[in-house]
């Protein structure tokens, strides 16, 4: 691949668009120009980009400020002690406090309360068990703490003079953990593959874990996405052989370090092989009712779910775009059977529908193929979704992370974060959508749906940006034309459009600032203009963090951003957010403008 240039791609896109190009041009002439006019005046669009750095703090541009909202271990109820930097909490305090490694999140206004629902993806053993010499769980209470550090934290926040703060004891406060009862819904519920000793009906599972990105529905629910669920299972039987279905999801007999099977048999694959079939789903949660039972949506497939971008189809159905984040896995779309009814009963829209997988043709065209054509039973298609998609010849992708849809047309973007296997293993050959062997920098692909309708089963696609390092390379690893020395980054991951049509990109990449990554600094967040391809670095995170998760207050004056696992490798050398002598803690920050204007 020689030339990946944003401008060339735009021209190719216009050429390929054919009849649909009228829609594309009219976007530029109407909505696009409106955005541009406001861009010209607004500090949000005209900020001076921040330089890459390796500081142990958050850096935002002049004219903006950030403050801390909450961190791992902050208590949600007044009877629970504040985070103890020495012990790093107990099983019981963790059950009553914000979980670890916050990732995707969403802001809701519910009956006069401001509510944040936040995913707690995983734990870094050297941080959560940093009180132990072994940096690993030493007893049953350590495992209880680990289980409680996962899942979702839901809590009220309020705006004070000093910034947004958690409201302890709010009636909406809730912890959902890897032990919370969750209903299995949809076509696979009750299937023998979902029946376990713990739940012989196959309709109830215990817990949600490795909750990565998120989604939200037009009917006000929160979607949390189960990603690397394989890491929590193991087997006492050292000689246990994994089935091909288990291998496809990375399940192994060897404990990755959580030690859950030591104290809970259900995580032992030799004793309860179906237990792992109950995780890997989209989970729907009512953030306003802490007594409600969350629901796993089997109709949306089982894979390593990144996020879930819900959009409206022209015909009234709901579509949801979902990435499966593993090297060489696929991109999916769900379309609900029933239509969304404004103000009507929509609560089961995600329990029934069709699931499609993407084929990105080298021509720049693409298709959504229905998984019903894979020739597997309905339940098996939804439980072993990866196998069904492989049978249909889906395009192997460079690790699909977040998808976000353009609010002004039926177009969506997906971060393909990186893939060292591309071009190195036979089933992941270089193709036009994933154009570089040993892809260390990643790219953002986008597709425009035929007839401007998310329900269409065809699209045209191009790359919005191909990341790279133009100061180190002059070949394809330099990236696309919109990547420059002052805005370069690697491993795009979090992705969201704001209501003005700006595209925000968060990174989870190599922060060594050396070699191939020299000049990129710590992980960061950029703002992009989808109509020009212009990219500007807006934020640099603290040392060894990933920047992930974003949402806006209803009045758009605050943007909430997640700082995940600061100090993940060298926790003794990092201390965000507490400063010297404190344990580095995953945190949620609030960003606003000095002039109080909108943040998107
Ligand atoms: Fe949890 Fe794919 O990031
Ligand atoms: Ca991610
Ligand atoms: Ca990632
Ligand atoms: Ca992460």
């Amino acid at each position: 691949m020689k030339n990946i240039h944003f401008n060339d791609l735009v021209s190719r896109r216009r050429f390929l668009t054919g009849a649909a190009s009228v829609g594309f041009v009219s976007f530029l002439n109407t909505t696009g120009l409106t955005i541009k006019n406001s861009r010209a005046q607004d500090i949000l669009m005209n900020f001076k980009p921040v330089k890459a750095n390796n500081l142990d703090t958050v850096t935002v541009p002049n004219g903006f400020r950030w403050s801390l909202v909450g961190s791992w271990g902050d208590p949600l109820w007044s009877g629970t002690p504040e985070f103890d930097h020495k012990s790093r909490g107990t099983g019981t305090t963790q059950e009553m406090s914000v979980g670890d490694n916050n990732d995707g999140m969403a802001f809701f206004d519910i009956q006069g309360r401001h509510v944040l629902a936040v995913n707690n993806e995983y734990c870094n053993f050297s941080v959560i068990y940093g009180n132990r010499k072994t940096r690993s769980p030493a007893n049953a209470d350590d495992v209880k703490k680990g289980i409680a550090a996962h899942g979702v934290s839901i809590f009220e926040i309020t705006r004070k003079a000093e910034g947004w703060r958690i409201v302890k004891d709010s009636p909406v406060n809730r912890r959902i953990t890897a032990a919370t009862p969750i209903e299995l819904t949809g076509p696979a519920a009750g299937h023998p593959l979902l029946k376990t000793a713990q739940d012989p009906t196959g309709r109830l599972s215990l817990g949600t874990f490795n909750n990565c990105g998120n989604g939200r529905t037009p009917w006000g629910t929160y979607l949390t996405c189960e990603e690397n669920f394989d890491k929590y299972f193991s087997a006492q039987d050292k000689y246990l052989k994994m089935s091909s279905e288990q291998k496809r999801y990375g399940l192994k007999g060897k404990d990755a370090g959580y030690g859950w099977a030591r104290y809970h048999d259900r995580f032992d694959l030799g004793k309860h092989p179906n237990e792992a079939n109950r995780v890997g789903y989209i989970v729907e949660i009512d953030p306003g009712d802490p007594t409600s039972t969350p629901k796993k949506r089997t109709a949306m497939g089982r894979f390593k779910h990144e996020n879930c971008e819900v959009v409206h189809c022209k015909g009234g159905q709901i579509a949801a775009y979902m990435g499966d984040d593993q090297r060489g896995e696929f991109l999916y779309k769900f379309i609900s059977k029933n239509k969304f009814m404004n103000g009507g009963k929509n609560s089961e829209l995600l329990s029934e529908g069709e699931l499609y997988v993407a084929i990105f043709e080298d021509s720049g065209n693409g298709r959504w193929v229905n998984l019903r054509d894979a020739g597997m039973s309905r339940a098996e298609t939804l439980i072993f979704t990866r196998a069904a998609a492989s049978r249909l010849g889906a395009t192997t992708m460079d690790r699909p992370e977040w998808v976000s849809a353009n609010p002004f047309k039926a177009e969506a973007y997906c971060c393909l974060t990186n893939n060292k296997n591309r071009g190195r293993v036979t089933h992941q050959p270089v193709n036009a959508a994933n154009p570089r062997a040993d892809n260390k920098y990643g790219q953002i692909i986008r597709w425009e749906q035929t007839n401007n309708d998310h329900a269409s089963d065809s699209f045209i696609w191009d790359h919005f940006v191909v990341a790279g390092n133009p100061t180190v390379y002059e070949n394809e690893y330099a990236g696309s034309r919109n990547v420059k020395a002052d805005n370069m980054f690697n491993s795009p991951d979090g992705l969201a459009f704001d209501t003005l049509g700006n595209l925000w990109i968060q990174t989870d990449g190599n922060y060594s600032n050396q070699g191939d990554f020299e000049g990129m600094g710590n992980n960061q967040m950029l703002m992009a203009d989808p109509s020009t391809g212009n990219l500007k670095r807006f934020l640099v995170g603290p040392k060894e963090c990933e920047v992930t998760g974003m949402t806006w207050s209803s009045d758009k004056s605050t943007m909430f951003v997640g700082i995940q696992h600061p100090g993940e490798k060298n926790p003794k050398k990092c201390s965000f957010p507490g400063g010297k002598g404190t344990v580095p803690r995953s945190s949620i920050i609030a960003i606003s403008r000095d002039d109080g204007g909108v943040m998107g």
Side-chain angles (χ1 to χ4, degrees), residues 103 121 212-213 227 306 325 401-402 493-494 508 546 548:
D103 204 304
E121 189 180 28
C212 185
E227 194 188 20
E306 182 67 25
D325 178 12
E401 302 252 24
W402 293 49
D493 187 333
D508 170 23
E546 168 187 346
T548 183

Side-chain angles (χ1 to χ4, degrees), residues 125-188:
F125 304 125
S126 59
V127 176
I128 190 170
Y129 300 123
N131 57 321
R132 306 276 179 215
K133 277 212 175 75
T134 57
R135 307 283 185 258
S136 61
N139 55 36
D141 193 65
D142 279 355
V143 167
K144 182 180 171 185
K145 180 164 86 170
I147 285 174
H150 284 72
V152 181
S153 302
I154 301 173
F155 48 87
E156 183 177 347
I157 53 173
T158 187
R159 192 172 354 206
K160 305 217 157 143
E162 64 271 26
W164 290 91
R165 292 290 180 271
I166 293 173
V167 178
K168 284 184 190 174
D169 306 315
S170 166
V172 302
N173 290 4
R174 178 180 196 184
R175 277 307 321 280
I176 291 167
T177 73
T180 303
I182 301 185
E183 191 185 337
L184 285 155
T185 71

